[in-house]
């Protein structure tokens, strides 16, 4: 059985969503981010990214990770590409060309979009969105997203999905990267194709199932 290490309130949400889309049986091993704990190495601390048991799984001390048989993998977006390729179906590429495009858009999301969107979500996570420094961080991140969002907006003109004529792993991966910026409504109002597309992605039953479980997790530890 597939084992997913990580809490839903983390990048592991992407992998949980993918597992739901594929209808996979999986075991969830909750691993908290060490930064959420006052003393992650305390004897009574819950399993977290600095725990020895988890370091044995991922020496980089980051979530998520998976174990699938003898295979151990890290990096959420790569995990999703692997799961799509392994299990096939509409989320995977139908041709080698589509496989290439799924990888391209996933790498693009990681390289061009997430460095900015993660700044936005962490500003909110740290309660700094109304501070001068927080407002400046968000403003700079939004400015840095202008070109990639313009590219994506143009790509989605006349299209429902990122690759092909269906929802794929590329849509899932990119939608999860962009979710970090959804607090900034003006970004999406200025890009109606992106706004409609991400609403389509987030209307899926598997996304709603992931979010329902995520909502049950406590925000404070």
């Amino acid at each position: 059985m597939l084992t997913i290490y990580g809490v839903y309130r983390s990048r592991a949400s992407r992998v949980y969503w993918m597992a739901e889309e594929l209808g996979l049986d999986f075991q969830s091993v909750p691993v908290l981010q060490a930064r959420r704990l006052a003393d992650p190495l305390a004897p009574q601390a819950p399993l977290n990214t600095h725990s020895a048991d988890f370091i044995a799984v991922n020496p980089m001390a980051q979530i998520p990770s998976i174990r699938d048989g003898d295979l151990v993998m890290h990096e959420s977006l790569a995990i999703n590409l692997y799961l799509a390729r392994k299990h096939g179906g509409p989320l995977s590429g139908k041709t080698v060309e589509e496989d290439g495009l799924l990888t391209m858009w996933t790498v693009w999301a990681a390289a061009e979009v997430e460095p900015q969107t993660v700044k936005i979500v962490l500003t909110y996570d740290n309660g700094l969105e109304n501070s001068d420094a927080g407002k400046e961080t968000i403003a700079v991140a939004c400015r840095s997203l202008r070109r990639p969002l313009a590219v994506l907006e143009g790509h989605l003109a006349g299209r429902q999905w990122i690759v092909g004529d269906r929802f794929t792993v590329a849509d899932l991966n990119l939608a999860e990267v962009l979710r970090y910026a959804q607090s900034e409504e003006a970004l999406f109002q200025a890009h109606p194709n992106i706004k409609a597309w991400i609403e389509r992605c987030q209307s899926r039953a598997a996304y709603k199932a992931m979010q329902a479980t995520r909502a049950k997790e406590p925000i404070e530890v």
Side-chain angles (χ1 to χ4, degrees):
M1 180 182 293
L2 174 68
T3 300
I4 304 173
Y5 298 87
V7 291
Y8 279 71
R9 292 185 181 275
S10 73
R11 285 183 174 93
S13 63
R14 305 163 182 181
V15 182
Y16 288 120
W17 181 6
M18 174 61 80
E20 293 283 355
E21 288 281 356
L22 294 171
L24 303 180
D25 290 328
F26 62 90
Q27 177 186 9
S28 174
V29 178
V31 181
L32 283 168
Q33 302 95 326
R35 61 180 170 79
R36 296 174 63 186
L37 302 171
D39 185 359
L41 297 180
Q44 71 276 17
L47 184 65
N48 65 81
T49 52
H50 287 181
S51 299
D53 286 349
F54 181 67
I55 294 293
V57 175
N58 186 354
M60 287 301 296
Q62 296 176 347
I63 49 177
S65 293
I66 65 164
R67 188 183 299 277
D68 192 22
D70 293 331
L71 175 69
V72 175
M73 277 192 72
H74 321 300
E75 301 300 333
S76 59
L77 301 177
I79 289 169
N80 281 352
L81 288 172
Y82 159 74
L83 291 174
R85 181 72 178 271
K86 176 178 179 178
H87 295 282
L91 272 70
S92 64
K94 293 181 178 178
T95 64
V96 67
E97 289 81 8
E98 281 196 352
D99 274 339
L101 290 173
L102 297 179
T103 301
M104 182 193 78
W105 281 106
T106 294
V107 173
W108 182 82
E112 304 296 338
V113 181
E114 189 166 39
Q116 306 307 324
T117 62
V118 77
K119 291 176 185 176
I120 294 171
V121 75
L122 287 178
T123 300
Y124 281 88
D125 285 352
N126 292 320
L128 299 174
E129 66 273 17
N130 293 318
S131 68
D132 289 343
K135 290 177 181 178
E136 179 63 17
T137 296
I138 292 170
V140 171
C142 288
R143 288 198 298 271
S144 299
L145 285 168
R146 285 176 183 169
R147 182 178 293 274
L149 290 188
V151 169
L152 182 60
E153 179 74 5
H155 178 73
L156 285 168
R159 291 185 175 92
Q160 294 287 300
W161 307 108
I162 300 295
V163 175
D165 57 357
R166 67 200 185 280
F167 179 85
T168 68
V169 62
D171 296 286
L172 192 158
N173 281 346
L174 185 49
E176 277 292 274
V177 166
L178 274 172
R179 178 165 62 85
Y180 288 164
Q182 282 187 275
S183 56
E184 309 315 299
E185 295 181 6
L187 279 179
F188 294 85
Q189 294 295 340
H191 299 92
N193 293 334
I194 295 175
K195 184 175 184 294
W197 160 80
I198 202 167
E199 288 172 355
R200 285 192 292 274
C201 292
Q202 294 177 348
S203 70
R204 296 179 66 84
Y207 175 81
K208 292 179 179 179
M210 178 276 286
Q211 281 288 13
T213 303
R214 185 178 185 271
K216 297 174 184 177
E217 285 188 351
I219 297 174
E220 300 295 332
V221 180

